[in-house]
Amino acid sequence: MKDLQETRQALDAVDREIVRLFEERMNLARDVAAYKIARGMPVLDRSREEQVLDSRCAMLQDGYWAAPVRELYECIMALSRAEQQRLVEEADHA
């Protein structure tokens, strides 16, 4: 069994990477928003979101985590949509 301090340090390292990747993902969501704004596309694409949810669950090595991963990506995509919507509204008022 690992020492508690070692485990916490490992969690901190994983969290640093998650935060870095989250920031990268949100910046990519801004790129998606720019594309959608330029083409007059809506922010929400339900079929694409369903594809993303299914594919992320399929990436799991342990299907036990499918429901939590689905919930996680629903939250991540909601944050992405909110940022995209903010950029759309900003562009509409420019």
Side-chain angles (χ1 to χ4, degrees):
M1 174 180 253
K2 286 186 182 179
D3 175 79
L4 179 59
Q5 188 60 30
E6 286 179 54
T7 302
R8 286 179 174 165
Q9 287 174 347
L11 284 169
D12 288 346
V14 169
D15 287 346
R16 274 191 296 280
E17 187 66 6
I18 289 171
V19 169
R20 184 190 70 74
L21 291 169
F22 174 77
E23 189 171 16
E24 183 177 338
R25 193 182 198 289
M26 292 302 290
N27 286 325
L28 290 168
R30 288 176 175 168
D31 293 344
V32 170
Y35 182 93
K36 289 177 177 180
I37 290 166
R39 288 159 182 78
M41 297 170 67
V43 168
L44 178 60
D45 181 345
R46 286 194 195 281
S47 64
R48 170 64 181 152
E49 287 199 5
E50 198 57 41
Q51 289 172 348
V52 170
L53 292 170
D54 291 344
S55 71
R56 297 327 178 251
C57 289
M59 292 176 184
L60 287 165
Q61 294 178 7
D62 184 348
Y64 174 83
W65 300 110
V69 162
R70 188 173 192 86
E71 185 177 349
L72 171 65
Y73 273 90
E74 286 171 347
C75 290
I76 290 171
M77 288 188 299
L79 293 167
S80 295
R81 275 194 317 274
E83 177 62 8
Q84 289 179 33
Q85 189 61 46
R86 184 189 71 76
L87 292 170
V88 166
E89 290 170 7
E90 189 177 278
D92 286 346
H93 293 96

